[in-house]
């Protein structure tokens, strides 16, 4: 939620900030702003310029181009509104009353109300509704106290002010702040929100995420919780919570795709849907290479001991990642025979089940930054750590597309889904990557726990190897069908998605995709559940999209579809061509694959149909309203 960026060096800051923000726009895009400090020739003090706009980053670009924002030091922000509407007055940076201190923040200051009341009692006038605005006022107050003690304005003084303010801030935050009186100092602070420092040539940067740094440097220093740092043209000083100087070697950004490029596609989302055959190809090359022994046809990502002694699995995730977890749970239970439960991470945090022994906890998050998922994992780890019984020992695994994220710093076992950068705010190829990660785990557990015969395990592995070609074909075919069908949805207000068994989570995912980008109300149901209530909604205006893949529930799903047809609903089928599937008004033809692997294919028409419906309505598919790519607030 929100992206922050900061730079200090020898070049003009504003263009660098704008480029950094462009890479972070996926984190929020309802308003943006930047502040720079320009050194005055006749004094050591600088002049602070602040530009803020409502709406997309393009508006800020235009304003800065018109009015300029000089200086070699600056901070920038792209916002996803939490406290206060997306208006210019609530856009960051926020300043103190004198206008000399400017702050950008990502996260939530949970105790902002009490801090605000105290400051107001002291006579401070606020100019926004945000939680962030308390920070520049608190910093300004500390700076005043420090100068009363005889301290001269300096980067060290600004750093100390931040150090004094930090313990008073509750919640999660990544902060960057500048002060007109110190044109050679950028101070940053991090607690439970991502912040990475970049070491460039002749400049130092900070950003919420690495793509904002990748255009300038590949040398990075991810900050740890509680740390604060002073960035000057000469270097970086890093301190921990106790204000003890830290020495840590920087890391190199891995060689994964860091370039934001739409190629010839109209939207990133469409490009990313098309990239899924490649995602599968790469995954197969890594996890199902040829030449593996028959008794273990999957390359194990972890040592044997990781799989030993696991009696049950719990999966914590949000949104689309939770849907991947639901498919994963079906596979782990039904194929590998391990009892598996899936939780909304946000619910688990406050109502965890009683501790179960020998449990593996899996956190699924493409961004690796989702606050609810990270907090649920941390909470579960903490309650298991305090248990003396070895049976309750904490074993955790994170499944993510961002191996350099906060998740990876929190959880020791990481499965990198390697789907490449996903720019569209809604998850498509990362969902497929998460599903594949669960197929890999299922094969590994089934083989290690000897719950399936070699033959069954090898059959599943072989079916997965056929996936890239099948994906390529149906993406092409379903893209065309979806495009021609989209106009039928121009007046649609409600859609029902039905699926059963392993494809029930795909019905949920189909409904979520449609809601997210087309703003059409949609619900996913287990097909057999429709007659218990939702059927009352059906008429000619409510299309029903039914996933009927061959397998144990094939006939059942077709009967449920018939029930919808009898209520005049327009029926769209995700099913193989055949006499039984002639009941559908429109058919997205599917290959006759085994039920086990069917979700990897049935999700494609869900994504493409949502995409074309939204694009046909002229909506901003890649940056849908109110959403953000990583939800770093609770
Ligand atoms: C996906 O299209 C959504 N934007 C959203 O539900 C997302 O899956 C959820 O916020 C979890 O994100 P994560 O995978 O980064 O944890």
């Amino acid at each position: 939620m929100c992206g922050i960026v900061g730079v200090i060096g020898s070049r003009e800051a504003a263009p660098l900030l704008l480029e950094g923000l462009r890479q972070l726009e996926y984190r929020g895009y309802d308003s943006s702003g930047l502040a720079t400090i320009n050194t005055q020739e006749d004094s050591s003090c600088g002049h602070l310029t602040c530009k803020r706009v409502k709406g997309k980053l393009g508006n800020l670009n235009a304003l800065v181009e018109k009015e300029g924002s000089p200086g070699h030091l600056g901070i920038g922000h792209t916002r996803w509104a939490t406290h206060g509407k997306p208006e210019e007055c609530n856009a960051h940076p926020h300043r103190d009353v004198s206008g000399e201190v400017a702050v950008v923040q990502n996260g939530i200051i949970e105790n902002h109300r009490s801090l605000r009341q105290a400051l107001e009692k002291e006579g401070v006038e606020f100019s926004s509704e945000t939680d962030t605005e308390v920070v520049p006022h608190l910093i300004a107050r500390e700076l005043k106290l420090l100068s009363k003690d005889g301290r001269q304005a300096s980067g060290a003084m600004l750093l100390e002010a931040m150090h004094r303010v930090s313990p008073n801030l509750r919640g999660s935050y990544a902060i960057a702040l500048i002060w007109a009186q110190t044109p050679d100092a950028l101070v940053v602070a991090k607690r439970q929100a991502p912040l990475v420092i970049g070491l460039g040539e002749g400049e130092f940067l900070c950003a919420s995420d690495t793509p904002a740094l990748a255009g300038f440097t590949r040398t990075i220093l991810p900050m740890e919780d509680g740390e604060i740092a002073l960035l000057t043209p000469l270097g970086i000083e890093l301190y921990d919570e106790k204000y003890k100087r830290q020495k840590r070697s920087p890391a190199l950004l891995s060689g994964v795709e860091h370039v934001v490029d739409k190629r010839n596609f109209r939207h990133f989302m469409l490009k990313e849907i098309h990239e899924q055959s490649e995602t599968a190809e790469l995954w197969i090359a890594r996890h199902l290479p040829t030449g593996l022994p028959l008794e273990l046809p999957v390359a194990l990502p972890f040592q044997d001991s990781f799989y030993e002694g696991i009696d049950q699995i719990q999966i914590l995730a949000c949104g689309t990642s939770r849907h991947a977890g639901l498919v994963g749970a079906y596979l782990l239970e039904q194929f590998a025979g391990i009892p598996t439960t899936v939780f909304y991470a946000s619910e688990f945090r406050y109502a965890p089940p009683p501790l179960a022994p020998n449990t593996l906890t899996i956190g699924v998050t493409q961004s690796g930054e989702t606050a609810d998922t990270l907090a649920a994992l941390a909470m579960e780890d903490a309650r298991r750590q305090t248990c003396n019984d070895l049976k309750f020992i904490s074993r955790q695994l994170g499944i993510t597309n961002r191996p350099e994220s906060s998740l990876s710093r929190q959880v020791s076992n990481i499965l990198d889904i390697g789907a490449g950068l996903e720019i569209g705010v809604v998850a498509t190829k990362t969902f497929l990557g998460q599903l594949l990660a669960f197929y890999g785990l299922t094969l590994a557990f089934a083989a290690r726990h000897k719950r399936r015969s070699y033959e069954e395990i090898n059959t599943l592995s072989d079916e997965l190897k056929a996936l890239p070609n099948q994906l390529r074909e149906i993406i092409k075919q379903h893209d065309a069908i979806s495009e021609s069908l989209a106009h039928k949805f121009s007046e649609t207000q409600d859609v029902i998605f039905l699926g059963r068994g392993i494809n029930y989570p795909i019905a949920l995912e189909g409904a979520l995709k449609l809601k997210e980008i087309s703003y059409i109300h949609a619900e996913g149901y287990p097909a057999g559940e429709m007659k218990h209530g939702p059927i009352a909604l059906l008429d000619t205006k409510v299309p029903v999209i039914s996933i009927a893949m061959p397998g144990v529930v094939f006939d059942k799903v077709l009967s449920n579809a018939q029930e919808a047809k009898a209520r005049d609903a327009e029926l769209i089928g995700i099913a193989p061509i055949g006499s039984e599937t002639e009941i559908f008004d429109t058919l997205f033809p599917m290959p006759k694959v085994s039920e086990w692997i069917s979700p990897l294919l049935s999700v494609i028409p869900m994504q493409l149909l949502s995409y074309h419906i939204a694009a046909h309505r002229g909506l901003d598919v890649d940056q849908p309203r109110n959403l953000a790519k990583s939800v770093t607030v609770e």
Side-chain angles (χ1 to χ4, degrees):
M1 260 39 215
C2 303
I4 69 170
V5 58
V7 63
I8 182 161
S10 51
R11 293 193 276 172
E12 274 299 301
L16 308 184
L17 295 172
L18 287 168
E19 175 53 22
L21 290 178
R22 189 172 74 84
Q23 305 287 344
L24 294 178
E25 218 185 355
Y26 71 87
R27 301 177 71 88
Y29 34 78
D30 57 42
S31 53
S32 57
L34 57 79
T36 54
I37 292 179
N38 194 19
T39 328
Q40 319 259 51
E41 264 177 29
D42 48 351
S43 96
S44 57
C45 181
H47 177 260
L48 192 142
T49 309
C50 186
K51 303 285 171 200
R52 306 187 303 184
V53 291
K54 182 180 170 175
K56 295 274 172 73
L57 193 59
N59 300 351
L60 184 65
N61 273 305
L63 183 68
V64 173
E65 196 171 304
K66 190 167 154 225
E67 298 179 359
S69 192
H72 294 180
L73 163 65
I75 52 178
H77 188 270
T78 179
R79 180 169 186 251
W80 183 85
T82 56
H83 296 70
K85 289 203 164 131
E87 298 292 346
E88 193 246 308
C89 64
N90 292 322
H92 297 215
H94 291 286
R95 284 157 292 171
D96 71 320
V97 180
S98 73
E100 288 201 336
V101 174
V103 169
V104 288
Q105 185 233 341
N106 162 32
I108 289 189
I109 310 292
E110 284 171 358
N111 58 335
H112 71 102
R113 263 186 220 93
S114 56
L115 293 170
R116 188 182 186 114
Q117 278 161 7
L119 285 159
E120 278 171 343
K121 268 194 197 141
E122 291 170 20
V124 173
E125 276 186 32
F126 278 73
S127 54
S128 79
E129 300 161 71
T130 64
D131 55 331
T132 307
E133 200 189 333
V134 297
V135 182
H137 296 309
L138 290 170
I139 294 283
R141 187 170 69 179
E142 289 307 324
L143 288 171
K144 215 179 269 171
L145 291 173
L146 284 164
S147 68
K148 267 192 196 152
D149 287 349
R151 290 279 294 268
Q152 296 295 315
S154 66
M157 182 171 162
L158 187 61
L159 184 75
E160 182 152 357
M162 186 69 240
H163 168 65
R164 287 183 179 199
V165 167
S166 302
N168 301 323
L169 304 177
R170 277 211 317 272
S172 59
Y173 55 79
I175 289 173
L177 81 119
I178 53 177
W179 183 26
Q181 297 203 23
T182 52
D184 56 356
L186 168 63
V187 167
V188 291
K190 171 199 149 65
R191 179 179 305 284
Q192 286 169 18
L195 193 59
V196 187
I197 295 173
L199 294 78
E201 270 180 39
E203 62 210 3
F204 294 94
L205 307 106
C206 70
S208 304
D209 198 358
T210 49
L213 302 175
F216 308 110
T217 179
R218 300 198 81 78
T219 314
I220 58 162
L221 189 68
M223 289 180 73
E224 303 284 347
D225 275 343
E227 283 184 341
I228 60 175
L230 170 64
L231 280 57
T232 72
L234 300 176
I236 300 165
E237 289 176 26
L238 185 68
Y239 295 85
D240 70 4
E241 218 156 354
K242 297 191 178 116
Y243 217 24
K244 199 165 157 253
R245 183 86 186 256
Q246 300 295 295
K247 296 261 180 232
R248 222 179 20 250
S249 305
L252 275 186
L253 263 183
S254 56
V256 290
E257 181 197 355
H258 279 287
V259 187
V260 176
D261 177 13
K262 222 184 278 176
R263 304 215 312 251
N264 288 329
F265 291 93
R266 197 169 143 208
H267 293 100
F268 280 108
M269 181 182 175
L270 189 59
K271 170 188 158 238
E272 286 153 5
I273 293 173
H274 277 262
E275 279 170 353
Q276 290 178 106
S277 47
E278 217 177 295
T279 308
E281 227 155 41
L282 289 170
W283 183 84
I284 288 161
R286 259 203 297 160
H287 297 279
L288 307 178
T290 41
L292 287 173
L294 267 186
E295 62 275 18
L296 189 62
V298 56
L300 293 183
F302 307 110
Q303 308 254 318
D304 279 356
S305 56
F306 175 84
Y307 306 91
E308 279 161 19
I310 301 284
D311 291 337
Q312 54 240 313
I313 294 177
Q314 53 187 6
I315 299 172
L316 314 179
C318 305
T320 288
S321 297
R322 183 178 154 274
H323 298 156
L326 288 169
V327 175
Y330 187 99
L331 290 165
L332 287 161
E333 280 197 346
Q334 304 298 323
F335 192 92
I338 305 175
T340 305
T341 322
V342 184
F343 295 91
Y344 287 104
S346 54
E347 290 294 313
F348 186 91
R349 291 178 72 169
Y350 300 104
L355 277 187
N358 306 325
T359 303
L360 171 67
T361 304
I362 304 180
V364 193
T365 159
Q366 58 78 23
S367 63
E369 301 294 351
T370 298
D372 283 318
T373 307
L374 296 184
L377 287 166
M379 187 273 278
E380 181 63 357
D381 191 47
R383 72 175 181 146
R384 284 179 183 271
Q385 297 292 359
T386 52
C387 216
N388 288 330
D389 191 332
L390 274 182
K391 281 199 309 237
F392 294 100
I393 201 163
S394 176
R395 196 177 301 174
Q396 296 201 338
L397 163 68
I399 298 180
T400 185
N401 196 35
R402 305 302 301 271
E404 72 289 2
S405 64
S406 302
L407 177 81
S408 314
R409 291 194 285 283
Q410 185 176 316
V411 172
S412 43
N413 303 302
I414 289 290
L415 256 183
D416 173 10
I417 62 173
L421 205 57
E422 187 177 68
I423 295 296
V425 162
V426 298
T428 52
K429 63 174 179 172
T430 54
F431 177 67
L432 190 94
Q434 292 169 339
L435 290 184
L436 288 168
F438 277 113
Y439 280 86
L441 277 179
T442 301
L443 286 171
F445 272 109
R448 276 282 158 265
H449 286 207
K450 305 205 185 317
R451 296 280 163 78
R452 288 271 168 181
S453 66
Y454 295 164
E455 214 173 35
E456 286 170 307
I457 294 171
N458 279 284
T459 305
L460 179 56
S461 163
D462 288 344
E463 281 170 340
L464 287 165
K465 286 181 191 158
L467 194 65
N469 283 338
Q470 289 165 336
L471 280 169
R472 238 184 303 276
E473 269 166 41
I474 69 161
I475 289 171
K476 199 166 153 221
Q477 192 184 18
H478 292 187
D479 197 1
I481 300 175
S482 304
E483 195 171 6
S484 61
L485 201 60
H487 72 276
K488 282 198 173 182
F489 287 75
S490 31
E491 301 299 320
T492 302
Q493 292 190 352
D494 304 278
V495 179
I496 297 224
F497 289 79
L498 300 178
R500 264 183 114 140
I502 196 167
N503 277 297
Y504 162 52
I506 302 301
L508 295 178
E509 178 59 7
L512 181 65
K513 285 286 89 89
L514 189 66
K515 274 187 268 214
E516 286 187 298
I517 54 169
S518 73
Y519 318 140
I520 295 174
H521 172 245
E523 295 301 336
Y525 290 105
E529 193 58 25
M530 192 183 61
K531 57 187 173 293
H532 298 291
I535 200 163
L537 297 171
L538 298 188
D539 63 21
T540 50
K541 292 197 192 114
V542 182
V544 171
I545 300 179
S546 180
I547 307 168
M549 295 298 284
V552 284
V553 289
F554 183 58
D555 295 333
K556 309 280 169 207
V557 177
L558 291 177
S559 308
N560 301 141
Q562 286 281 12
E563 292 157 12
K565 190 155 178 115
R567 271 84 190 170
D568 294 330
E570 170 87 13
L571 261 194
I572 296 169
I574 317 295
I577 299 175
S579 54
E580 319 91 311
T581 57
E582 277 168 11
I583 56 158
F584 293 112
D585 299 305
T586 306
L587 183 71
F588 282 90
M590 299 296 286
K592 285 188 176 154
V593 295
S594 89
E595 196 171 24
W596 293 120
I597 70 152
S598 59
L600 294 160
L601 296 165
S602 61
V603 71
I604 300 298
M606 304 288 158
Q607 299 170 342
L608 283 165
L609 191 57
S610 301
Y611 167 77
H612 281 291
I613 291 172
H616 184 77
R617 289 183 167 212
L619 297 169
D620 191 343
V621 175
D622 287 331
Q623 295 186 337
R625 69 183 182 205
N626 305 339
L627 299 186
K629 188 82 187 158
S630 45
V631 184
T632 56
V633 293
E634 183 176 353

